[in-house]
Amino acid sequence: MTYSASVVGASGFTGGELLRLLDGHPEFELVQATSRSKENKTIGHAHPNLRHADVRFSHPEELESVDVLFAATPHGVSMERIDAFQDAADTVVDLSADFRLNTEAQYEEWYDGHERPELLEDAVYALPELTREELPGADLIASGGCNATATIMGLLPLVEEGILTGDEQIVIDVKVGSSEGGAGGGEASSHPERSGVVRPYAPTGHRHEAEIEQFLGLDVSFTVHAVDMIRGASATCHVFPGEPVSKGDLWGAYRGAYEAEPFVELVAGGGGVYRYPEPKAVVGTNRAEVGFELDASNKRLVVFSAIDNMMKGSAGQAVHAANVALGIEETAGLEFQGLHPVGAP
């Protein structure tokens, strides 16, 4: 069975990734891509890797009827247009932050409130490793934030195994590429300003902290750095467990959580150059690398995770969740394994 699909906000970086994935997906037919600024231009005009595709941008107010609508719009747009989106599609997958959190109070605290709080309880978070059982048949899916996704992937097995209970001190440092700022990232993301930097841009109060605390039930100290790469999010989590933990405990927790997951690989101090999770190794893929190291002398556990922020942290996660929601093979359209060697992601 083939499902028709559209992408709203298709001229941006994440929209382009969605178009790329849908163009090569065996079960989706891309029928519409919208953009106000690029209306009537071919999608190859904005995304040169898609010059072969015979699709033109249309105006976002003129939505076609489809099975699945992917909304790659800025925060605030989807909550304003959700009725139109749901009128146009049986399943809406939103890649903004508009439906990720559970309550109106959270949006008051972390954002600028919410216009449609009655829909929050209906939305399903798009990370299948966390919410797989809730996704089948879901009609409103909220794709997670890239920094939150990287962090959750690293810490989830520790929560599920009871190694983390919520009382521990947890310090998280995430380093992200410039594509996180989007196609209109502004002065801070311009090449002269971004090149060569390791810049703390959210020492405290990053909005993705709310997702981490909501889905893991942990209080965390969270900092994000902008670094000189285009794609990628690398999370380093410093955890101070309340009880002693061994490497055997850790291997048991991570293998138990991820052994059967198609898009998670454990990379924990093996041989070769890439001994721990590395964004460069997953660029362009929907894979997450997760690893850890035990610092017994300091009663500290260091957890590493790496993703492509535009794939596992956004478009890839969205397509993966749509696959699960519709009963399609989970890995369909997401089989690309990456390249090596490859330039800076």
Side-chain angles (χ1 to χ4, degrees):
M1 181 175 180
T2 299
Y3 295 89
S4 58
S6 62
V7 178
V8 177
S11 60
F13 291 153
T14 299
E17 282 294 86
L18 284 168
L19 296 178
R20 177 177 71 89
L21 294 175
L22 295 173
D23 179 64
H25 197 292
E27 303 292 340
F28 282 119
E29 178 188 5
L30 176 66
V31 299
Q32 185 178 27
T34 80
S35 170
R36 280 184 169 83
S37 63
K38 302 280 193 300
E39 186 180 1
N40 294 324
K41 292 181 170 63
T42 64
I43 62 174
H45 179 85
H47 309 295
N49 56 326
L50 299 175
R51 285 179 175 137
H52 65 278
D54 186 22
V55 178
R56 290 182 178 272
F57 292 111
S58 57
H59 196 279
E61 297 296 333
E62 301 170 359
L63 297 178
E64 297 186 28
S65 179
V66 293
D67 296 313
V68 185
L69 181 150
F70 294 89
T73 53
H75 175 67
V77 174
S78 288
M79 68 174 78
E80 291 180 356
R81 300 203 62 210
I82 188 60
D83 289 337
F85 290 171
Q86 291 188 317
D87 285 344
D90 296 327
T91 303
V92 174
V93 185
D94 181 40
L95 282 77
S96 78
D98 283 10
F99 296 98
R100 294 172 186 166
L101 303 181
N102 290 339
T103 68
E104 185 177 10
Q106 288 171 294
Y107 280 95
E108 293 289 347
E109 177 181 358
W110 292 95
Y111 292 89
D112 302 312
H114 204 285
E115 295 188 15
R116 300 296 302 276
E118 73 277 10
L119 297 177
L120 295 176
E121 64 181 19
D122 297 329
V124 179
Y125 201 62
L127 190 60
E129 293 82 1
L130 180 71
T131 60
R132 181 177 279 104
E133 300 304 316
E134 302 170 46
L135 283 166
D139 55 19
L140 178 56
I141 298 170
S143 194
C146 57
N147 303 320
T149 296
T151 302
I152 289 169
M153 295 300 297
L155 296 179
L156 180 62
L158 303 179
V159 174
E160 291 184 339
E161 194 64 19
I163 294 172
L164 292 182
T165 64
D167 297 325
E168 300 83 3
Q169 181 183 12
I170 303 171
V171 180
I172 301 165
D173 181 90
V174 179
K175 295 178 175 62
V176 297
S178 58
S179 58
E180 181 176 291
E187 181 182 4
S189 292
S190 69
H191 181 71
E193 299 295 345
R194 188 74 178 226
S195 181
V197 305
V198 181
R199 179 196 303 139
Y201 80 86
T204 62
H206 194 288
R207 289 169 168 176
H208 290 186
E209 188 174 321
E211 292 174 55
I212 298 165
E213 295 183 343
Q214 170 176 284
F215 289 105
L216 295 183
L218 304 172
D219 291 325
V220 300
S221 300
F222 190 72
T223 296
V224 183
H225 287 76
V227 300
D228 186 7
M229 62 183 179
I230 297 172
R231 290 174 178 256
S234 175
T236 301
C237 306
H238 303 272
V239 178
F240 299 85
E243 299 293 335
V245 59
S246 70
K247 274 206 169 184
D249 295 331
L250 296 174
W251 277 110
Y254 281 90
R255 282 176 174 151
Y258 291 143
E259 193 168 37
E261 290 292 345
F263 295 116
V264 185
E265 296 180 357
L266 298 183
V267 183
V273 175
Y274 299 97
R275 299 176 58 232
Y276 296 100
E278 166 60 57
K280 186 174 179 179
V282 297
V283 64
T285 81
N286 194 52
R287 294 186 292 113
E289 291 190 345
V290 178
F292 53 83
E293 194 57 78
L294 190 60
D295 181 9
S297 63
N298 291 304
K299 299 180 181 179
R300 177 177 65 123
L301 168 61
V302 188
V303 177
F304 308 98
S305 52
I307 62 172
D308 181 329
N309 60 298
M310 291 200 297
M311 282 293 294
K312 185 64 176 173
S314 189
Q317 179 183 154
V319 172
H320 187 187
N323 286 347
V324 177
L326 297 171
I328 299 170
E329 169 59 42
E330 280 195 40
T331 60
L334 299 168
E335 295 91 347
F336 178 59
Q337 293 299 309
L339 301 171
H340 180 266
V342 67

